[in-house]
Amino acid sequence: MATYLESERLTLRPFAANDADLLIELDSDPAVMRYLTGGIPTPPEEVRDLVIPSILSGYDRWDYELGLFAAYEKHGGAFVGWFCLRPLRKGPREEAELGYRLRQAAWGRGYATEASQALLAKGFAELGIRMVWADTMTVNRSSRNVMEKLGMTVAESIPTPDEMTAVEGSEHGGVRYVITKEQWKRRKA
């Protein structure tokens, strides 16, 4: 599969139809899913029947320029998780969500910051993105740290979705971080 993006230590590529097992394994780790589902794994049939087809249709929708991408270590080729840079399905193309989900073995190694910096650079410099946003739970300090390292700032508090009210810390809601192309350019200067 073609490479979408490279950072210093990672290669990002589009997912393929036969990659469901990677996502099933990732989403079966309670620690990975802690702030998403309270540790409940995504059912394998949901990954196969809904998640993978949705990812693949996103590539068609955005001409493989935006979407959700599998991340691999350059040295050794281990799957570390995924990163996304994509608009809302019916949102403006120039406003994209940044997201990431990494295997525990990849935590604490700077991968989230490294690949996210590369995605911001590609989005702002090459793809016509003018604003990037990212959401996380207020209590998810690790994810918030990554967003802050990227120069993103809190734009607003967001309510906890109904399906997440049983998740630890849900009573504190979430936060949306934002960075604009102009802010990104000033940080690069």
Side-chain angles (χ1 to χ4, degrees), residues 3-183:
T3 297
Y4 172 74
L5 177 69
E6 289 189 4
S7 65
E8 180 182 342
R9 299 172 294 160
L10 299 175
T11 299
L12 276 61
R13 67 156 179 83
F15 277 98
N18 62 354
D19 284 333
D21 288 343
L22 295 173
L23 295 176
I24 290 167
E25 183 265 332
L26 179 66
D27 284 11
S28 69
D29 184 335
V32 169
M33 302 303 286
R34 176 181 179 190
Y35 293 120
L36 301 166
T37 63
I40 298 167
T42 306
E45 60 278 3
E46 183 177 324
V47 173
R48 286 189 189 95
D49 299 341
L50 299 174
V51 175
I52 288 287
S54 176
I55 292 170
L56 298 178
S57 70
Y59 300 141
D60 291 335
R61 185 179 308 112
W62 300 304
D63 300 319
Y64 282 82
E65 291 185 337
L66 300 165
L68 193 139
F69 299 93
Y72 294 86
E73 291 177 335
K74 284 183 177 179
H75 181 72
F79 173 71
V80 299
W82 59 256
F83 290 85
C84 77
L85 185 66
R86 61 184 176 190
L88 293 174
R89 187 174 298 257
K90 295 189 189 269
R93 189 183 187 284
E94 64 273 0
E95 295 180 6
E97 173 191 18
L98 173 71
Y100 37 83
R101 186 174 303 170
L102 303 178
R103 295 174 67 215
Q104 278 194 75
W107 292 1
R109 300 178 70 186
Y111 286 158
T113 302
E114 177 183 319
S116 294
Q117 286 172 333
L119 282 169
L120 288 179
K122 184 175 183 83
F124 289 137
E126 299 174 24
L127 301 177
I129 302 297
R130 66 173 183 78
M131 188 270 290
V132 172
W133 55 272
D135 293 345
T136 192
M137 291 184 67
T138 300
V139 296
N140 189 346
R141 182 43 45 203
S142 295
S143 193
R144 293 181 71 175
N145 286 344
V146 170
M147 294 171 194
E148 291 164 6
K149 287 177 190 175
L150 297 171
M152 300 178 87
T153 56
V154 175
E156 63 182 316
S157 295
I158 54 177
T160 300
D162 290 340
E163 68 273 11
M164 291 179 62
T165 56
V167 175
E168 164 195 352
S170 64
E171 68 274 14
H172 301 291
V175 285
R176 172 163 289 176
Y177 281 76
V178 171
I179 188 168
T180 64
K181 183 175 184 175
E182 292 74 27
Q183 291 168 325

